[in-house]
Amino acid sequence: MIGVLVSGAGTNLQALLDAGLPVVAVASNRRDAKALERASHLAIATESFELGDYADRAERDTAMADWLERHGVRVVVLAGYMHLLTSAFLDRFPDAVVNVHPSLLPEFPGAHAVEEQLAAGVAETGATVHLVDEGVDSGPILAQERVAVLDDDTPETLHARIKEIEHRLLPRVVGELCAR
Ligand code: GAR
């Protein structure tokens, strides 16, 4: 059973759902994340865990892990989740938390990878799926695919092409993890 953490639009969550993967719970650090609506429309359990409602990150992460465990989650997918996770969360799902990121990691980690790659003038970029540790978009890489940057790319056009890769790569890797 899969739990998904989201902060934004949720197109990667949608790709997991479209692939027929067993997503049973979707959590966010933001009450207003659009991604939560995609899940609640399908009667999948949703909950938000805003940092301001807890004493610190560890307390928030413990509450989120408790909630996911109550829903039977064994594999956790970060699909556009824009907060770091503490060991209070990661220790609960050893080697079973994966993230998708719009660059060829370890190059360009962080929340603004697409803009930073365009500003740096890179000729190619891509998408990476990796196991999550306490760092920023760090941890062992599971899969990676490349795409060329075009002369007239804007952050929007480039991110759209990277997301096409993500929507293929992420369901494949998550499916493999669930089959272990
Ligand atoms: C995706 O491109 C994902 O790789 C990126 O956020 C986007 C979420 O889109 N994640 C990161 O940058 C993590 N550092 P979505 O909400 O439409 O799935």
Side-chain angles (χ1 to χ4, degrees):
M1 306 270 227
I2 299 168
V4 183
L5 304 188
V6 293
S7 300
T11 64
N12 280 287
L13 166 64
Q14 192 65 53
L16 296 169
L17 295 170
D18 292 347
L21 288 162
V23 176
V24 294
V26 177
S28 181
N29 61 314
R30 297 175 55 127
R31 221 163 255 128
D32 62 352
K34 262 229 155 288
L36 290 175
E37 289 171 28
R38 294 181 191 264
S40 54
H41 282 149
L42 296 172
I44 294 169
T46 62
E47 191 58 86
S48 55
F49 297 86
E50 297 209 348
L51 198 49
D53 296 338
Y54 300 90
D56 56 25
R57 276 175 185 272
E59 191 182 287
R60 188 271 301 276
D61 284 3
T62 299
M64 196 157 65
D66 287 346
W67 183 80
L68 291 169
E69 260 181 22
R70 277 203 301 281
H71 286 86
V73 166
R74 282 182 41 245
V75 170
V76 179
V77 182
L78 276 51
Y81 183 71
M82 295 307 204
H83 264 188
L84 287 178
L85 289 169
T86 59
S87 57
F89 186 95
L90 295 170
D91 290 351
R92 302 278 290 276
F93 303 96
D95 292 328
V97 183
V98 297
N99 180 41
V100 61
H101 182 77
S103 79
L104 297 170
L105 290 173
E107 300 296 319
F108 299 97
H112 307 287
V114 177
E115 291 83 350
E116 285 170 11
Q117 290 171 101
L118 272 181
V122 298
E124 65 171 6
T125 174
T128 302
V129 179
H130 64 96
L131 285 174
V132 173
D133 62 19
E134 287 182 68
V136 178
D137 300 312
S138 57
I141 290 172
L142 300 175
Q144 210 162 46
E145 204 177 303
R146 290 165 187 274
V147 65
V149 178
L150 306 178
D151 286 344
D152 59 353
D153 260 330
T154 64
E156 290 72 29
T157 60
L158 182 56
H159 202 170
R161 288 208 313 291
I162 296 173
K163 280 193 177 192
E164 278 176 28
I165 298 174
E166 294 183 342
H167 297 164
R168 214 174 39 243
L169 210 57
L170 184 63
R172 195 190 84 208
V173 174
V174 172
E176 286 166 8
L177 267 182
C178 290
R180 291 190 298 200

